[in-house]
Amino acid sequence: MLPTENRLRRREDFATAVRRGRRAGSRHLVVHLRSGATDPHAPGESAPLSRAGFVVSKAVGGAVVRNKVKRRLRHLMRERVGLLPPGSLVVVRALPGAGDADHAELARDLDAALRRLLGGGAR
């Protein structure tokens, strides 16, 4: 599970990542990344944590399917949040086919999208 301090919770943070960040898509996911964004809500002078949020609409499936997809994505991001630059905001949007994808397919899609965003590879 993704720790609470690494989760996006505010609407403004989601909007910042989507509107001002870079985007990379794959078969089941679209990933928005705002690198090194400072967090005005973070106390102290320590390096800001990278945070991730998830958008899973009803187009993905019913409530059970949507929650399953969110749980899988949170688990996958827990393993990858340390690879992000400090202060990054990430929004992972599940596309309609994500409900039928297994854990390995979601992992491949997330890795490919993050690789393009972090490595600056071709879209």
Side-chain angles (χ1 to χ4, degrees):
M1 185 69 66
L2 188 64
T4 303
E5 61 270 8
N6 290 114
R7 292 189 198 173
L8 281 182
R9 298 245 185 234
R10 294 183 176 88
R11 179 183 185 104
E12 304 85 37
D13 294 338
F14 276 88
T16 298
V18 171
R19 292 186 185 140
R20 297 185 183 154
R22 295 178 49 208
R23 177 182 68 199
S26 60
R27 184 173 176 205
H28 301 292
L29 304 171
V30 176
V31 180
H32 300 268
L33 172 68
R34 172 88 166 132
S35 290
T38 58
D39 181 10
H41 309 292
E45 297 182 18
S46 62
L49 294 172
S50 297
R51 294 179 294 145
F54 308 94
V55 178
V56 183
S57 74
K58 287 185 179 179
V60 173
V64 172
V65 173
R66 290 194 312 269
N67 285 322
K68 179 175 71 171
V69 169
K70 281 187 276 190
R71 281 193 309 272
R72 286 180 175 173
L73 291 173
R74 278 196 303 264
H75 178 74
L76 291 169
M77 276 306 297
R78 182 185 90 186
E79 299 167 354
R80 291 155 180 83
V81 75
L83 304 173
L84 301 172
S88 295
L89 303 177
V90 178
V91 173
V92 180
R93 183 167 46 98
L95 297 176
D100 299 325
D102 63 9
H103 189 79
E105 287 178 300
L106 290 176
R108 276 193 303 272
D109 284 356
L110 183 60
D111 286 338
L114 288 174
R115 195 170 26 255
R116 279 193 303 254
L117 290 170
L118 296 173
R123 291 183 182 204

